[in-house]
Amino acid sequence: MSSKPPIADATDALIKVTLPGHAAAGIPGVVHSMGPALAQLGPRRTLSLFTSINQKEGFDCMSCAWPDPDSRKTLEFCENGAKAVIWEATPVTVPTSFWAEHSVDDLATKSEYWLGLQGRLTEPVYKPAGAAHYRPVSWSEAFSIAGTALRELDTPDQAAFYTSGRASNEAAFAYQLFVRAFGTNNLPDCSNMCHESTGTALSEVIGIGKSTVSYDDFEQADLIIVMGQNPGTNHPRMLTALEDAKRAGASIVSVNPLPEAGLQHYKNPQTVRGLLGKGTALADQFLQIRLGGDMALLQALSKRVLDAEAAHPGTVLDHEFLTEHCVGLDELTSHLAELDEAAVLAATGLTSAEIDALAERYIRADRVIITWAMGITQHKRAVAGIKEIVNLLLLRGNIGKPGAGASPIRGHSNVQGDRTMGIWEQMPDSFLDALEREFGFDPPRAHGVDAVHGIRAMQRGDIKLWISLGGNFVGAISDTAAAEAAMRGTDLTVQISTKLNRSHAVTGAAALILPTLGRTEIDRQQGGVQFVTVEDSVCAVHASRGRVEPVAPDLLSEVAIVSRLARATLGADSPVDWAAFEHDYDVIREHIANVVPGCAGYNEKVRRPGGFVLPNGPRDSRTFPTTAGKAILTVNELEPIECPPGRLLLQTLRSHDQFNTTIYSRNDRYRGIKKGRDVVFVNPDDLLELGLEDGQQVDVFSEWPGQPDRELRGFRVVSYPTARGCAAAYFPEANVLVPLDSTAEGSNTPVSKAVVVRIEPARVPAPA
Ligand SMILES: Nc1nc2c(c(=O)[nH]1)N[C@H]1C(S)=C(S)[C@@H](COP(=O)(O)OP(=O)(O)OC[C@H]3O[C@@H](n4cnc5c(=O)[nH]c(N)nc54)[C@H](O)[C@@H]3O)O[C@H]1N2
Ligand SMILES: Nc1nc2c(c(=O)[nH]1)N[C@H]1C(S)=C(S)[C@@H](COP(=O)(O)OP(=O)(O)OC[C@H]3O[C@@H](n4cnc5c(=O)[nH]c(N)nc54)[C@H](O)[C@@H]3O)O[C@H]1N2
Ligand SMILES: [Mo]
């Protein structure tokens, strides 16, 4: 089965590989990858944008959910934030003539890179069933088409409403309200593919699915363990926080199959030393773990902590904390007593001495933070693995005290806020009850579909209408061919977007594109200029104000689009005054204050400079609202990933020049890749064993029982210092290797980080 939609332009035969770049950061990087786009912006727009990013009176950077320090620098952003801003704020627009020139089939032959380069979408367009092209339509026609299609469904559950984590709290709250008033909980989101495993695990064991640290905790920590995360590329400002923590005496440990730039060497662009120097090694210890080995490592660490306590009773565990706030210590202790060290070493690829060294660091430290991202969440046993992170932290009381805690680092800049606002296919009854009280309608109670189940429902014909508030669903989900076929089988797809991507070319029989304002742009409504609010990785909620003129006069904000869609669908019986929502976002915030826990006084609190921090029981008062009423130490069985001889474990990850499915350039400076993305990174010793040579053209296969092999053809193998037995390729190209049903237990997140693959010399040589 081979289906590889074009992602980057097909000139990968020219890929250049150099020594991986060592030090992360440096503003020259922006100019490197965005030179032409930067020039198009012009000096005025550029200055106005760059002095507003992440400022208390400016807009929230859309590149990641890393929090802001209390005291902001004049330029409070990173290289990749700058790229995201330039990408969105470009003055280049898709001209009206474009739609007649390019059929939808033609767009489907274009790469993500090409689609992004066409510029901002400025007018609603519609492709009727049977037509080959989109054509411009008026806003009122667009809403009437969507509203009519929604009303004509047999049941509201025949529609699904996807959200990507860039939507503001106001847009998200209005959207979930519309969807529930319409009558379904079909609210899949990008989080289903991202930190869902985190939410599932943390909710069960500590009672809240969010980070238990605040920004200032980083500087007070003695030890910060960064697991399965590449902050140099994906959360660059985190490196500044790590550098500050290190200066204040913390040690930093990276657990990763790859020696990622930034953790190994780091240049702080905000300091002269950083711009000129060679960079500091941030990580004091680097454990080059085998993919999927973290759960074994964490169990081995907890076992060493328990053994140390047994050897010196009363000196290692935090007995007071464990007795007062936790359950499950005895079960964990007896379970770990049986832990097989040989199995740990096989699963982790580490030595006992390396694990001993980290255990000693952990025991010596009074305050420990563990952070993680996709390297932990996108595994089959991710939920269990995250519970092991919590086990280790709880043993020494590292939750709910300064400088310590469990800290998932979110991806999309408001993915956490969207969940807080009700974007979830399984919102708890307490939230639905509050909606009912506030708006006087009866929200549906049956859980809706998540991302993977959404594809299944489309395949069965149960979902006929798919609406996306942002994102690039078919580009982002696993099993590209299956996802695209499912999407093409629907009656209508509606994309609310800033720019073109693959999901605009893979449509239902009929399709609408509704162009929207970006976060950088001034949002004018009847009630005056509006701001929106967002929540970062550490639960801080604050305002975001657009600063530049909208790129086109007719763009609507996301809130306006959602409100008008609701009016067109629900008509006069709606329990909500949608026009008031659109005219003045304070009206939405008043409702948020009444419905969303922790948001009382929302309008006043978000107007404070820097906003406010949502309450968090574990962090604030060591209250754990779990089923046991305490934090739960859990027993999790190790299940090693089977990797037959001659196979490797492959992870799919991000290059330095992409934002998810948005490709800024085909370079990955920190990994030494230029002008190409069709590469697979393999350890030199594995290459030798497989009889492959660095630079050779190869085919990559994944094997699944009862299915034809999945394949990526004509990739270039790159000899790279990843852990033994492991490989890496870029997302989204490698999504084709992951079948839809390969998902994490308990969270249903696609397993994007440990795919068993076979790599063979390419059958068809690549064109010269
Ligand atoms: N510039 C930029 N910023 C972004 C994004 C972007 O695409 N571009 N995306 C945003 C989003 S939505 C998200 S979710 C985040 C993603 O942020 P990350 O999670 O950092 O993203 P990935 O590129 O998937 O990198 C995964 C990291 O985990 C490591 N890893 C993989 N498997 C394992 C494992 O089994 N064990 C361990 N210990 N490590 C492992 C990889 O080597 C890699 O360093 O970034 C956000 N920020
Ligand atoms: N194999 C593999 N697959 C993965 C991952 C992986 O690591 N490996 N990572 C997963 C993760 S962590 C995530 S979060 C998902 C990402 O899934 P998505 O969030 O669906 O994908 P993005 O690429 O971030 O979406 C980009 C598009 O959003 C639109 N957009 C940008 N800004 C705005 C805005 O302000 N408003 C609106 N309405 N639209 C806007 C633009 O049209 C742009 O093309 O992918 C997942 N898929
Ligand atoms: Mo993400």
Side-chain angles (χ1 to χ4, degrees):
M1 203 157 66
S2 169
S3 151
K4 188 166 80 76
I7 311 274
D9 281 339
T11 46
D12 279 6
L14 305 174
I15 301 173
K16 285 209 177 83
V17 181
T18 56
L19 282 179
H22 279 307
I27 291 298
V30 182
V31 181
H32 234 74
S33 36
M34 306 296 283
L38 190 57
Q40 285 161 347
L41 263 187
R44 268 201 31 217
R45 209 166 157 95
T46 306
L47 185 69
S48 155
L49 285 166
F50 283 19
T51 52
S52 316
I53 309 180
N54 292 327
Q55 297 301 325
K56 288 179 181 168
E57 290 298 311
F59 60 88
D60 181 63
C61 178
M62 61 295 261
S63 188
C64 76
W66 179 252
D68 302 314
D70 193 44
S71 75
R72 315 274 160 97
K73 304 176 188 76
T74 316
L75 300 181
E76 184 64 52
F77 60 90
C78 70
E79 173 189 336
N80 277 345
K83 289 181 204 162
V85 167
I86 295 168
W87 184 85
E88 174 181 302
T90 173
V92 177
T93 55
V94 175
T96 300
S97 57
F98 179 90
W99 307 108
E101 278 161 24
H102 298 280
S103 67
V104 176
D105 286 348
D106 178 39
L107 294 181
T109 66
K110 304 295 188 189
S111 66
E112 292 282 9
Y113 180 61
W114 187 91
L115 292 167
L117 280 183
Q118 303 315 301
R120 287 284 300 279
L121 294 159
T122 62
E123 57 192 341
V125 292
Y126 177 52
K127 182 194 98 64
H133 290 253
Y134 285 102
R135 61 170 168 80
V137 289
S138 67
W139 276 109
S140 60
E141 197 180 340
F143 289 120
S144 140
I145 292 164
T148 308
L150 282 165
R151 276 199 313 273
E152 283 176 354
L153 293 172
D154 300 331
T155 95
D157 288 332
Q158 287 182 331
F161 299 81
Y162 176 74
T163 309
S164 169
R166 212 176 267 194
S168 65
N169 284 349
E170 289 73 9
F173 184 83
Y175 188 59
Q176 63 81 32
L177 177 62
F178 157 53
V179 171
R180 294 193 164 106
F182 174 62
T184 180
N185 280 312
N186 283 344
L187 282 159
D189 70 346
C190 69
S191 200
N192 298 145
M193 303 177 258
C194 183
H195 264 292
E196 194 69 62
S197 305
T198 298
T200 307
L202 292 186
S203 304
E204 184 183 327
V205 297
I206 62 167
I208 178 168
K210 298 182 179 185
S211 172
T212 74
V213 310
S214 54
Y215 191 92
D216 295 340
D217 285 321
F218 283 91
E219 228 178 58
Q220 299 176 54
D222 299 322
L223 170 65
I224 301 171
I225 306 177
V226 181
M227 295 190 90
Q229 193 200 344
N230 177 18
T233 283
N234 297 315
H235 305 93
R237 287 183 309 127
M238 177 171 169
L239 297 183
T240 310
L242 292 177
E243 195 190 33
D244 290 347
K246 200 174 160 90
R247 207 176 295 121
S251 61
I252 290 164
V253 174
S254 164
V255 182
N256 200 308
L258 292 171
E260 300 285 33
L263 287 168
Q264 313 306 86
H265 302 270
Y266 169 56
K267 286 184 191 176
N268 187 342
Q270 306 279 2
T271 66
V272 174
R273 185 173 48 83
L275 276 176
L276 303 178
K278 277 192 179 155
T280 32
L282 273 181
D284 299 281
Q285 192 188 352
F286 169 42
L287 285 95
Q288 187 161 35
I289 198 163
R290 192 176 151 78
L291 284 164
D294 303 83
M295 186 168 155
L297 169 65
L298 288 156
Q299 290 196 349
L301 292 169
S302 288
K303 179 171 161 57
R304 280 162 169 76
V305 172
L306 290 164
D307 289 349
E309 170 70 21
H312 306 279
T315 63
V316 179
L317 297 185
D318 186 339
H319 288 284
E320 213 181 295
F321 174 76
L322 287 164
T323 312
E324 208 170 317
H325 297 291
C326 305
V327 294
L329 179 61
D330 293 344
E331 293 84 342
L332 179 67
T333 308
S334 44
H335 182 244
L336 291 185
E338 308 294 312
L339 185 68
D340 176 3
E341 180 81 357
V344 168
L345 301 186
T348 58
L350 301 170
T351 62
S352 292
E354 287 175 291
I355 304 175
D356 290 343
L358 179 53
E360 280 157 28
R361 266 181 208 282
Y362 180 74
I363 292 171
R364 268 201 317 272
D366 284 331
R367 298 154 177 231
V368 181
I369 292 175
I370 302 182
T371 74
W372 70 92
M374 296 305 101
I376 300 297
T377 64
Q378 295 176 331
H379 284 284
K380 182 154 185 269
R381 303 293 315 289
V383 174
I386 294 160
K387 290 185 190 170
E388 293 292 353
I389 292 179
V390 174
N391 281 345
L392 179 63
L393 289 171
L394 291 176
L395 288 176
R396 290 188 33 85
N398 277 311
I399 290 190
K401 71 180 178 191
S407 195
I409 306 298
R410 305 278 164 181
H412 265 299
S413 52
N414 197 39
V415 64
Q416 186 162 318
D418 290 348
R419 272 292 162 92
T420 306
M421 295 297 130
I423 301 290
W424 194 25
E425 74 284 353
Q426 31 182 314
M427 263 338 250
D429 279 334
S430 54
F431 184 90
L432 302 175
D433 292 342
L435 277 185
E436 186 172 348
R437 276 196 305 275
E438 180 75 1
F439 297 100
F441 72 99
D442 192 11
R445 300 282 164 159
H447 289 175
V449 294
D450 63 12
V452 166
H453 289 140
I455 302 277
R456 285 283 179 238
M458 284 190 266
Q459 288 175 332
R460 290 192 305 269
D462 291 345
I463 286 180
K464 298 177 186 304
L465 207 160
W466 185 276
I467 298 186
S468 289
L469 180 58
N472 180 4
F473 183 57
V474 295
I477 187 81
S478 50
D479 213 337
T480 313
E484 295 196 346
M487 195 59 80
R488 288 191 163 110
T490 59
D491 295 342
L492 174 68
T493 47
V494 182
Q495 302 288 334
I496 302 166
S497 318
T498 50
K499 278 192 157 186
L500 280 176
N501 61 47
R502 180 87 187 152
S503 295
H504 303 96
V506 178
T507 69
L512 273 170
I513 302 177
L514 308 180
T516 187
L517 281 182
R519 209 182 268 174
T520 52
E521 289 163 314
I522 299 169
D523 182 354
R524 292 190 184 85
Q525 303 294 344
Q526 270 185 24
V529 171
Q530 305 295 315
F531 66 90
V532 294
T533 57
V534 293
E535 174 184 344
D536 64 28
S537 282
V538 296
C539 314
V541 178
H542 58 88
S544 175
R545 294 175 172 84
R547 282 294 166 193
V548 294
E549 280 303 319
V551 71
D554 291 335
L555 290 179
L556 294 181
S557 72
E558 289 183 349
V559 168
I561 292 175
V562 170
S563 303
R564 294 188 195 189
L565 192 58
R567 281 154 79 183
T569 308
L570 306 174
D573 344 312
S574 176
V576 180
D577 184 352
W578 293 106
F581 272 31
E582 176 178 342
H583 299 333
D584 182 357
Y585 301 175
D586 273 358
V587 175
I588 307 178
R589 285 186 284 266
E590 277 308 313
H591 291 296
I592 291 175
N594 297 337
V595 170
V596 181
C599 291
Y602 198 71
N603 261 317
E604 181 266 316
K605 286 197 268 189
V606 298
R607 282 181 161 81
R608 295 178 193 160
F612 74 103
V613 178
L614 283 167
N616 180 309
R619 182 197 64 208
D620 303 338
S621 57
R622 293 188 154 179
T623 333
F624 298 94
T626 63
T627 48
K630 291 187 174 191
I632 305 175
L633 292 149
T634 51
V635 166
N636 306 290
E637 293 304 327
L638 269 188
E639 277 171 29
I641 303 174
E642 300 291 335
C643 189
R647 309 295 192 269
L648 299 174
L649 283 182
L650 174 124
Q651 63 159 320
T652 64
L653 43 48
R654 292 151 172 82
S655 79
H656 191 61
D657 270 2
Q658 78 182 77
F659 186 91
N660 296 341
T661 66
T662 297
I663 312 300
Y664 300 131
S665 91
R666 293 181 299 111
N667 303 335
D668 189 358
R669 196 166 89 249
Y670 294 173
R671 300 197 183 101
I673 302 296
K674 274 197 189 135
K675 297 188 180 168
R677 293 178 48 89
D678 287 356
V679 292
V680 52
F681 299 95
V682 178
N683 180 291
D685 295 331
D686 287 317
L687 282 185
L688 207 64
E689 247 180 58
L690 295 169
L692 296 170
E693 271 174 43
D694 184 22
Q696 191 173 342
Q697 293 290 319
V698 293
D699 297 333
V700 183
F701 301 91
S702 72
E703 304 158 342
W704 304 88
Q707 297 184 24
D709 286 355
R710 289 156 180 276
E711 55 192 39
L712 282 174
R713 292 199 171 247
F715 268 43
R716 172 175 168 152
V717 79
V718 176
S719 173
Y720 201 84
T722 181
R724 271 309 297 275
C726 297
Y730 295 124
F731 140 65
E733 287 84 342
N735 291 12
V736 297
L737 298 176
V738 184
L740 204 56
D741 287 330
S742 176
T743 59
E745 290 169 9
S747 66
N748 211 27
T749 295
V751 177
S752 303
K753 290 293 192 274
V755 188
V756 177
V757 295
R758 192 175 85 233
I759 303 183
E760 294 177 354
R763 272 182 254 167
V764 187

